[in-house]
Amino acid sequence: MINIVLFGPPGAGKGTQAEFLKVKFNLFHISTGDVFRFNIKNNTSLGLMAKSFIDKGDLVPDQVTIDMLNEVVRKNLDSNGFIFDGFPRTNNQALALDKLMEENNSTISAMIALEVDDKALIARLLERGKTSGRVDDSNEEIIQNRISEYYKKTAILKDFYMKKNRYFGVDGQGSIEHITNRLSSVIESL
Ligand code: ADP
């Protein structure tokens, strides 16, 4: 199995790139944000709970997110591997992911980070907000909170994967195609 954690701040382009990479490398794409939004759309109890955090730009509590992720992975273990997009976002989530991989005699092959500066992120998210209908893209204050959550709780995961020699940084600015090529080179080198 090839298991990739696609990493980077909100608006870095993880979702966009995952759409190309999953086809190219035949991987199963899991976006925790998408799973939450699907639950919100369908008015499930998970969706209702998650919405109160997501709309403010806060992270959803770890245990809820971990349980949800475990369930999606367990249902798709016959795949070639996974692209994790938006997970892990905290230290506890990273530990839970290691445990889940281990239970299935697998491992995280690489964390690949899309590096984009904050100014570009805010501009991209505000632009996306014009059409996405996402409350969390709708104003700069909520966007700032998401970026601040990222630096407070998520950015440290770079060290977590660095220590395992599994961290790869890629320039996340430029054309979508160029960025896909940069990411593909890393995956092909694994
Ligand atoms: P973006 O990367 O643009 O912020 P996502 O779709 O990945 O968009 O996430 C949207 C929101 O969903 C996050 O701000 C957070 O509230 C929630 N979320 C997604 N993944 C996680 C996670 N792993 N842990 C906690 N909350 C999450």
Side-chain angles (χ1 to χ4, degrees), residues 17-41:
Q17 293 298 331
E19 290 300 319
F20 292 103
L21 297 174
K22 74 173 183 192
V23 175
K24 195 161 175 185
F25 295 97
N26 190 22
L27 301 171
F28 190 88
H29 172 212
I30 305 179
S31 156
T32 42
D34 285 350
V35 180
F36 283 133
R37 283 185 289 276
F38 177 84
N39 277 277
I40 292 170
K41 214 172 109 199

Side-chain angles (χ1 to χ4, degrees), residues 9-11 14 31-34 36-37 53-54 57-62 65 85-89 93 125 128 134 136-137 146:
K14 301 183 292 288
S31 156
T32 42
D34 285 350
F36 283 133
R37 283 185 289 276
F53 295 92
I54 293 177
D58 292 337
L59 292 187
V60 177
D62 274 342
T65 309
D85 156 11
F87 189 97
R89 260 178 154 102
Q93 293 181 15
L125 291 170
R128 181 171 82 186
R134 281 175 57 170
D136 62 344
D137 286 343
R146 285 160 62 196

